[in-house]
């Protein structure tokens, strides 16, 4: 199983509407995708409730794991604001 550690650099972390985009991206994988805080229990990255339960804020480190590395790379790009990847930055999503 592949794993990625990333520090969330977006302004809003993974909250509300950005979490919906995050979960939708994770759902593109046919395999399980997990999200956790370092040392914490993994949560289903395809479940909006489980992702929101983590309360991921800007500056938090998260651990993503799954079988499909391309999906993990897209999730990393979303939460790190990597504009050169062509991925949307979840920090740009309107919170209103």
């Amino acid at each position: 199983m592949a794993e990625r550690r990333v520090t969330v650099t977006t302004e809003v972390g993974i909250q509300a509407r950005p979490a919906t985009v995050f979960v939708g991206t994770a759902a593109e994988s046919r395999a399980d995708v997990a999200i956790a805080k370092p040392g914490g229990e993994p949560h289903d990255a395809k479940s909006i409730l489980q992702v929101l339960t983590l309360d991921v804020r800007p500056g938090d480190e998260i651990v993503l794991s799954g079988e499909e590395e391309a999906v993990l790379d897209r999730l990393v790009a979303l939460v790190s604001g990597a504009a050169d990847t062509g991925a949307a930055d979840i920090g740009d999503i309107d919170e209103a």
Side-chain angles (χ1 to χ4, degrees), residues 18-87:
T20 303
V21 174
F22 180 90
V23 168
T25 301
E28 293 173 5
S29 174
R30 293 180 196 209
D32 292 338
V33 180
I35 180 174
K37 290 189 176 177
E41 291 293 316
H43 289 71
D44 182 358
K46 297 179 184 181
S47 166
I48 189 75
L49 292 176
Q50 289 190 33
V51 170
L52 290 173
T53 298
L54 280 175
D55 191 31
V56 177
R57 305 284 176 146
D60 287 353
E61 183 179 32
I62 58 171
V63 180
L64 301 168
S65 57
E67 297 295 326
E68 295 183 29
E69 294 195 31
V71 171
L72 296 179
D73 291 341
R74 286 195 298 276
L75 291 171
V76 167
L78 284 173
V79 300
S80 68
D84 61 337
T85 65

